[in-house]
Structure formats: C-alpha cells, structure tokens
Amino acid sequence: MAIFGTKIVEFAEAKTDGTLPLEADWAELCKTYRDSVEIVDDDPDIAEEYSDQQTEPFEIFLEPGKTNGKFSAYEYDPAILTKLMGGTVLDGVWTEGDNRGRDMALRFKTDSGHIIAWPVVKLFAKKNLKLVKKNVALIDVTFTPKSKSRISKIS
C-alpha cells in the first residue's frame, strides 16, 4: 500500500482534548509547490550503558526521533498569508504580524487515497521571495507534530 502525491493540505482548529477535528471543520490551507512535501522522522537517540566487567552493553536506552515536516506554498494571497503566518488583512492588503507559529490540526490527503493527520502541530511559515523570471516566490512552511500521527486509507 504505497503512499504518494499530495492532493490537498487541510487545517482545522486544534481541539483541546487531543482528538482530530470533525470532517466539517477541515478547510484547505494552501496549494503546495510540486514535490515539496516532506515528512521525516529523525534518527533515534541511543544511549548504551556498559560495566567494567563486560564488553556488551547491559542496558540500551532508545528515544525515538521527532517528526519534522515541511512544504512550500506559492500563493501570496492575503487570505493564504493570514492562514500561514498570521497578521491582518484590511482592504485586501496583508500586514505581517509577529509570526511566532501557530498551533493547528493538520492533514494531507494523498493521490494514493491516504490521509495523514495530526490533531496538533506547531506550524511556522516564512517568506522565500526570490524574484526571478523563471521561478515563483515561495512560502517555506515547517511543522512539528505535538501529537501522534494518524494514517488511514480512504475507502
């Protein structure tokens, strides 16, 4: 059951009880730049404990690595910028806020028919304004889950 492609990225307000939001609460967050979505677990931290009397460890402690996610968006629309970076919109003009990141529920629906979701992530977005003729300016988005992921297959 391979997972591939990004169909849509959705967000919702994180629930205080740590569960996923209801289906009706999800909305599109933004369009993603092609092949920019990455969700990777860090390697675990391993601590081996040894005694003076043996060469093999008598105990091994393993702490799983944290999950890091990132993707790029490309729509510099005031409504999208507000969802990603906060700030305010007045008369169609986005004014940047203090952008300390946002807690939200986040999910990805894939081209392979899967849903990858977190009840709570800390999401941070920043401008990547390279104004060149043959590329678009991007918004670089990173997120760190504050809850366990849920992966399911849409039937």
Side-chain angles (χ1 to χ4, degrees):
M1 190 161 70
I3 296 177
F4 57 88
T6 305
K7 185 176 285 189
I8 189 170
V9 180
E10 297 175 312
F11 80 108
E13 186 173 322
K15 295 177 71 175
T16 56
D17 64 1
T19 60
L20 286 170
L22 299 173
E23 187 61 35
D25 295 335
W26 294 96
E28 183 173 26
L29 179 61
C30 63
K31 303 271 189 249
T32 56
Y33 189 70
R34 178 170 285 194
D35 298 334
S36 68
V37 177
E38 287 186 30
I39 304 163
V40 179
D41 290 341
D42 288 343
D43 290 334
D45 288 330
I46 300 171
E48 298 177 344
E49 300 296 332
Y50 293 89
S51 73
D52 290 328
Q53 292 75 33
Q54 61 192 58
T55 59
E56 298 299 319
F58 65 85
E59 187 64 63
I60 299 174
F61 297 99
L62 188 132
E63 186 173 321
K66 72 175 187 166
T67 299
N68 298 293
K70 67 180 181 177
F71 59 89
S72 293
Y74 58 87
E75 297 174 289
Y76 274 84
D77 175 82
I80 301 293
L81 291 168
T82 303
K83 287 191 277 187
L84 292 173
M85 294 191 275
T88 58
V89 177
L90 183 61
D91 296 328
V93 176
W94 175 72
T95 301
E96 191 169 10
D98 59 5
N99 194 14
R100 297 178 192 268
R102 300 183 54 199
D103 283 351
M104 64 177 62
L106 185 68
R107 78 177 179 185
F108 295 84
K109 289 184 176 177
T110 70
D111 293 335
S112 59
H114 292 84
I115 295 177
I116 306 166
W118 294 268
V120 185
V121 302
K122 176 65 91 175
L123 183 135
F124 180 81
K126 64 180 185 173
K127 298 177 295 299
N128 182 352
L129 288 164
K130 295 179 184 167
L131 303 178
V132 296
K133 289 185 185 224
K134 294 186 179 181
N135 285 322
V136 297
L138 298 175
I139 303 164
D140 293 333
V141 181
T142 58
F143 65 91
T144 302
K146 296 171 75 174
S147 57
K148 302 279 187 193
S149 64
R150 274 81 161 168
I151 299 176
S152 59
K153 178 81 169 142
I154 302 170
S155 358

